[in-house]
């Protein structure tokens, strides 16, 4: 099976674009990624398009209507917060399978403001706990507190770090430093997550052009290429409390294990990570889920600055979902853009020096639904 | 068990039921193959995948607080703060709910606090004041 490479990748600056349409946001990122590769839509053999909000709305076909209807197969993908990464992985699989050798993957989302969660029918909110995403991830943090004594302050430090990182990223929605006292004193949403410890609902899009080794050589693009060393996915295995609280850790651990095995590397080999910091509490538990530290050691890891730019394994140097923003369907390709940019040595002020291997992680789902996790390991060529 | 409801308000969730005598209870299922107890009725075990080994049970009405958060921001119209709790019931099942009769201050709420279930009528935020039968946790 051929190695698969990213030869073009880009994202729009995340923000609020209520006057735009979903396909137009997707088209902008698609053209940017094609330009990055120096290729045109006419050279793409298939399109994998991730979007959640209009999952029934043929976003991929409408995207092609904006940039060129070449008649290629389109697969529209929806998979919670792993939507974009799933589209990317489907593109990767199509090349691995030898069906195509140059394909386009796009992730896009246009979101409203406000709390996510809840559902149709008679509301149980407040009567049977809470169905909001902040409450769900607050409980995940409190479970870590129960097991390991992790403090409010340690969770808050994640936001301090990621907000600082975002000041170095021109494509981030917010680019404002927030001292620890400010993070902790912000409006409490669901303890221990304050408003500054919740990710930002924004609009955004990101895209990648993937190619087989033969195609990369034929097109003369090896100088732009980033190798996909591993693509792994999982769903939530049975978890004891799954009917009461969704489990994001077991799925992440499963996908991480298969990604490390497929790449033939371990956590110590990874130079930077973009992981799913939908809430500050989530980043802490994923340090352990991804094997970046031993179980129970995540609080110490944030305290000592190991995951800060310049530290042992910088995490979310893009600003993360907490500051860059979290347009659900775009997030999984945007974090691939971030890691690929570092591996190309093109990340400017926030460059992780000497980066050779990077990991991306997204995991999503909801109460009573289940979990989708996708992990990619990318390598400098 | 405390019941502050004598009316015929409909149960807010399918696994909350009324017995023939009108008294509420929480319906669960136990897998005879692996022993896991689930909230709600089901026919296949999600844990061990056994089919047709599920037996209907009434869930325990006492347990311990496994995990919680204090919710300060919720959907419009929902009164905050409230304590969103995960309880391990004494029969081994796990259930989410709102914990009443505690100070909504995380520093004063202890993991493993013994709790019991009470049944009450309450109006969901989106039913125009129409009451439903629901359940809550209170310190035991
Ligand atoms: Zn079973």
């Amino acid at each position: 099976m051929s190695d698969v490479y990213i030869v073009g990748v880009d994202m729009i600056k995340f923000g609020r674009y209520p006057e735009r349409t979903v396909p137009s946001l997707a088209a902008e990122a698609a053209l940017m990624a094609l330009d990055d590769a120096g290729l045109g839509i006419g050279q793409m053999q298939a399109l994998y398009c991730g979007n959640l909000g209009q999952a029934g709305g043929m976003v991929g076909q409408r995207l092609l209507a904006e940039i060129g209807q070449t008649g290629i197969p389109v697969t529209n993908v929806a998979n919670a917060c792993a939507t974009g990464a799933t589209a990317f992985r489907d593109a990767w699989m199509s090349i691995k399978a030898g069906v195509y050798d140059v394909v386009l993957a796009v992730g896009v989302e246009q979101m409203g403001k406000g709390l996510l969660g809840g559902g149709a029918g008679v509301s149980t909110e407040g009567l049977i706990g809470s169905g909001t995403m902040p409450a769900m991830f607050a409980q995940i943090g409190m479970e870590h507190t129960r097991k390991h004594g992790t403090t409010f302050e340690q969770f808050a430090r994640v936001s301090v770090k990621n907000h600082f990182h975002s000041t170095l990223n021109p494509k981030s929605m917010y680019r404002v430093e927030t001292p620890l006292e400010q993070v902790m004193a912000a409006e409490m949403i669901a303890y221990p997550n304050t408003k500054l410890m919740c990710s930002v609902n924004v609009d955004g899009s990101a895209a990648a052009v993937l190619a087989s080794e033969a195609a990369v050589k034929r097109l003369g693009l090896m100088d732009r290429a980033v190798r996909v060393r591993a693509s792994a996915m999982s769903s939530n295995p049975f978890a004891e409390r799954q009917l009461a609280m969704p489990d994001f850790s077991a799925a992440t651990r499963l996908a991480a294990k298969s990604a490390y095995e497929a790449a033939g590397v371990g956590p110590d080999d990874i130079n930077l990570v973009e992981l799913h910091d939908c809430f500050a509490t989530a980043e802490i538990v994923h340090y352990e889920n991804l094997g970046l530290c031993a179980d129970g050691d995540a609080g110490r890891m944030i305290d000592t600055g190991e995951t800060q730019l310049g530290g042992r394994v910088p995490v979310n140097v893009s600003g993360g979902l907490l500051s860059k923003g979290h347009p659900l369907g775009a997030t999984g390709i945007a974090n691939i853009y971030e890691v690929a940019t570092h591996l190309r040595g093109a990340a400017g002020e926030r460059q992780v020096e000497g980066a050779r291997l990077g990991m991306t992680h997204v995991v999503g789902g909801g109460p009573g639904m289940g979990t989708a996790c996708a992990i990619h390991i990318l390598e400098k060529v | 068990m405390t019941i502050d409801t004598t009316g015929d308000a409909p149960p807010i969730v399918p696994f909350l039921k009324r017995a023939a005598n009108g008294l509420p209870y929480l319906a669960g299922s136990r897998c005879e193959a692996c022993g896991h107890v689930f909230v709600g009725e089901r026919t296949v075990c999600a844990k061990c995948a056994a089919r047709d080994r599920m037996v209907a049970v009434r869930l325990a009405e006492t347990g311990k607080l496994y995990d919680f958060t204090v919710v300060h921001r919720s959907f419009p119209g929902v009164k905050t703060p409230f304590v969103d709790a995960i309880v391990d019931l004494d029969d081994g099942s796990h259930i989410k709910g709102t914990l009443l009769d505690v100070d909504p201050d995380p520093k004063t709420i202890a993991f493993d606090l013994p709790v019991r279930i009470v049944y009450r009528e309450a109006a969901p935020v989106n039913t125009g004041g129409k009451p439903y039968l629901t359940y809550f946790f209170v310190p035991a």
Side-chain angles (χ1 to χ4, degrees):
Chain A
M1 281 187 291
S2 169
D3 272 343
V4 178
Y5 296 81
I6 300 166
V7 293
V9 63
D10 213 336
M11 61 180 275
I12 69 167
K13 176 178 161 56
F14 286 177
R16 297 221 167 84
Y17 306 107
E19 74 289 354
R20 299 276 300 271
T21 65
V22 170
S24 88
L25 292 170
E28 187 178 351
L31 291 174
M32 289 164 74
L34 288 167
D35 288 348
D36 183 50
L39 299 174
I41 188 67
Q43 288 157 288
M44 298 301 110
Q45 297 161 0
L47 166 65
Y48 295 86
C49 183
N51 174 261
L52 210 52
Q54 297 184 9
M58 309 286 274
V59 172
Q61 283 83 349
R62 289 156 65 205
L63 151 63
L64 288 183
E66 303 219 2
I67 66 170
Q69 287 168 260
T70 57
I72 54 172
V74 173
T75 304
N76 291 292
V77 175
N79 209 10
C81 299
T83 291
T86 304
F88 181 93
R89 177 177 156 82
D90 282 357
W92 171 86
M93 278 199 292
S94 75
I95 294 173
K96 272 285 180 197
V99 177
Y100 308 118
D101 63 10
V102 188
V103 299
L104 178 62
V106 180
V108 60
E109 205 71 50
Q110 195 172 39
M111 303 182 61
K113 288 185 178 184
L115 284 174
L116 298 184
V122 172
S123 174
T124 58
E125 184 70 17
L127 302 180
I128 303 184
S130 176
T132 66
M133 291 289 163
M136 205 160 78
F137 281 92
Q139 284 184 334
I140 285 164
M142 289 299 280
E143 186 181 35
H144 203 268
T145 297
R146 176 191 171 100
K147 289 180 179 165
H148 305 298
T150 319
T151 64
F152 176 27
E153 181 175 323
Q154 287 173 320
F155 291 125
R157 283 188 191 283
V158 171
S159 287
V160 176
K161 171 180 71 72
N162 292 357
H163 291 161
F164 163 69
H165 286 160
S166 73
T167 65
L168 308 174
N169 181 3
K171 296 200 180 203
S172 177
M173 163 84 182
Y174 289 115
R175 304 184 64 194
V176 181
E177 272 197 78
T178 56
L180 182 63
E181 312 72 58
Q182 187 186 350
V183 172
M184 294 178 74
E187 180 192 350
M188 185 56 73
I189 304 296
Y191 185 88
N193 284 324
T194 69
K195 190 170 186 182
L196 290 175
M197 295 161 70
C198 302
S199 58
V200 196
N201 291 345
V202 301
D203 308 331
S205 58
V209 178
L210 293 83
S212 68
E213 181 149 348
V216 176
K217 288 178 176 161
R218 185 176 76 238
L219 295 165
L221 290 172
M222 201 52 92
D223 62 328
R224 308 212 45 66
V226 170
R227 186 182 287 113
V228 182
R229 272 290 288 269
S231 173
M233 263 188 84
S234 63
S235 62
N236 49 309
F238 175 81
E240 200 184 1
R241 293 182 180 80
Q242 64 186 17
L243 295 176
M245 54 189 299
D247 185 84
F248 298 93
S249 290
T252 294
R253 284 173 189 241
L254 271 184
K257 184 167 183 288
S258 50
Y260 287 128
E261 281 173 9
V265 302
D268 291 345
D269 300 313
I270 302 292
N271 305 119
L272 78 154
V273 177
E274 288 284 306
L275 62 72
H276 205 74
D277 59 328
C278 49
F279 296 88
T281 46
E283 179 163 322
I284 291 287
V285 301
H286 292 319
Y287 290 168
E288 295 169 12
N289 294 333
L290 296 174
L292 304 179
C293 66
D295 284 354
D297 216 20
R300 184 199 57 76
M301 207 180 179
I302 189 74
D303 282 343
T304 56
E306 278 180 50
T307 55
Q308 177 129 358
L309 184 59
R312 179 174 68 83
V313 54
V315 172
N316 290 330
V317 289
S318 68
L321 283 51
L322 288 171
S323 207
K324 181 176 67 180
H326 183 21
L328 310 180
T331 291
I333 298 183
N335 67 15
I336 286 169
Y337 160 79
E338 180 67 19
V339 169
T341 301
H342 286 268
L343 298 176
R344 285 169 161 184
E349 280 188 284
R350 66 185 190 286
Q351 177 68 41
V352 174
E353 291 305 328
R356 197 183 70 78
L357 275 175
M359 171 181 271
T360 65
H361 160 258
V362 284
V363 63
M369 291 194 272
T371 303
C373 179
I375 290 178
H376 289 90
I377 296 177
L378 307 180
E379 182 183 29
K380 178 186 174 73
V381 172
Chain B
M1 185 170 63
T2 305
I3 304 160
D4 295 333
T5 168
T6 50
D8 52 5
I12 192 167
V13 286
F15 60 83
L16 176 54
K17 297 189 178 298
R18 287 179 198 278
N21 62 5
L23 296 181
Y25 69 95
L26 294 170
S29 315
R30 190 182 67 248
C31 175
E32 290 188 308
C34 73
H36 193 75
V37 182
F38 294 86
V39 172
E41 295 169 309
R42 53 187 306 138
T43 55
V44 176
C45 181
K47 182 176 185 181
C48 75
R51 297 166 66 174
D52 302 321
R53 300 293 302 278
M54 304 300 297
V55 293
V57 294
R58 290 189 180 197
L59 295 180
E61 294 183 325
T62 53
K64 284 182 176 168
L65 179 65
Y66 174 73
D67 194 12
F68 69 94
T69 177
V70 181
V71 176
H72 292 266
R73 175 91 78 88
S74 181
F75 296 119
V78 176
K79 193 165 167 284
T80 57
F82 62 88
V83 179
D84 173 17
I86 307 295
V87 166
D88 291 349
L89 293 175
D90 290 339
D91 56 12
S93 62
H94 312 281
I95 188 168
K96 180 186 183 73
T98 299
L99 173 61
L100 303 178
D101 300 347
V102 295
D103 189 5
D105 174 359
K107 288 192 269 314
T108 65
I109 300 171
F111 293 116
D112 294 323
L113 174 78
V115 301
R116 63 190 174 89
I117 285 176
V118 296
Y119 301 98
R120 291 179 188 168
E121 288 182 9
V125 71
N126 64 348
T127 59
K130 182 186 171 190
Y132 279 73
L133 174 66
T134 189
Y135 66 91
F136 294 98
F137 307 125
V138 296

